[in-house]
Amino acid sequence: MSGWVWLVAVGVVVLLFGLYLSMTAGRLDRLHQRIDTSRLALQAQLLRRSSVCIELSSGQWLDPATSLLLADAAHRARTSADEDAEEQARAESDLTGILRDTVDPEELAAVAETDDGPELLGELDAACLRVQLSRRFYNDAVRACRQVRSRRMVRW
């Protein structure tokens, strides 16, 4: 009789272990889907931001040097989607830096006084905010996936 008890106990342990592995694999699969979805959303928001930057630089609102820098950075960011991830990240960082460092608040005030200016600046603010949020969602998804992958059972 005790032989059957041990056999049932081992069967229950194996069943529970298999259930744990199956649930962990399912969670990892869902996290990978979340990473893919958030990556696509981030790329869409980066594309939107670069489009708004190109539109802003093509107007006559900014000084020529700033306009040229912004247009070049936005164009590189827009075309870097076909390149590797490191080059795309560098191009997007350059665009962020140019937006932060070279676009003068006085020029933006002049843009706001034009007919289409407030709408364009609103689009730019919204695009920049959406990029930040999308980047945060993507980073959270990657962090959660790495956390699950770092578990000993998953690595084995």
Side-chain angles (χ1 to χ4, degrees):
M1 184 86 139
S2 67
W4 288 103
V5 171
W6 282 106
L7 187 61
V8 169
V10 168
V12 168
V13 168
V14 168
L15 181 69
L16 289 175
F17 183 68
L19 182 64
Y20 169 76
L21 290 179
S22 175
M23 288 173 48
T24 303
R27 179 161 189 243
L28 200 55
D29 186 48
R30 287 189 304 276
L31 285 171
H32 283 132
Q33 289 174 353
R34 188 171 136 200
I35 288 172
D36 291 341
T37 303
S38 60
R39 180 185 300 128
L40 290 174
L42 176 60
Q43 288 176 344
Q45 296 308 322
L46 291 171
L47 184 63
R48 179 182 172 142
R49 181 182 71 167
S50 64
S51 297
V52 173
C53 288
I54 288 174
E55 188 176 343
L56 178 65
S57 69
S58 67
Q60 301 299 320
W61 305 295
L62 303 176
D63 69 279
T66 302
S67 182
L68 186 62
L69 283 173
L70 186 59
D72 182 53
H75 177 70
R76 279 188 290 119
R78 189 174 201 155
T79 57
S80 69
D82 299 333
E83 299 176 17
D84 64 338
E86 186 176 314
E87 184 63 33
Q88 183 180 9
R90 187 177 303 117
E92 292 297 339
S93 293
D94 290 345
L95 178 58
T96 301
I98 286 174
L99 279 172
R100 182 185 59 240
D101 297 337
T102 62
V103 177
D104 188 21
E106 293 175 5
E107 291 176 332
L108 293 179
V111 173
E113 293 173 359
T114 62
D115 292 338
D116 296 335
E119 182 180 331
L120 184 61
L121 292 178
E123 284 182 48
L124 181 62
D125 286 341
C128 290
L129 179 64
R130 286 185 178 128
V131 165
Q132 287 177 351
L133 292 174
S134 295
R135 199 170 275 142
R136 199 171 294 153
F137 284 127
Y138 176 73
N139 289 339
D140 286 345
V142 170
R143 180 196 46 76
C145 187
R146 283 184 176 171
Q147 185 178 12
V148 170
R149 283 181 163 186
S150 69
R151 293 181 184 166
R152 181 169 289 157
M153 287 292 185
V154 173
R155 284 184 289 156
W156 287 346

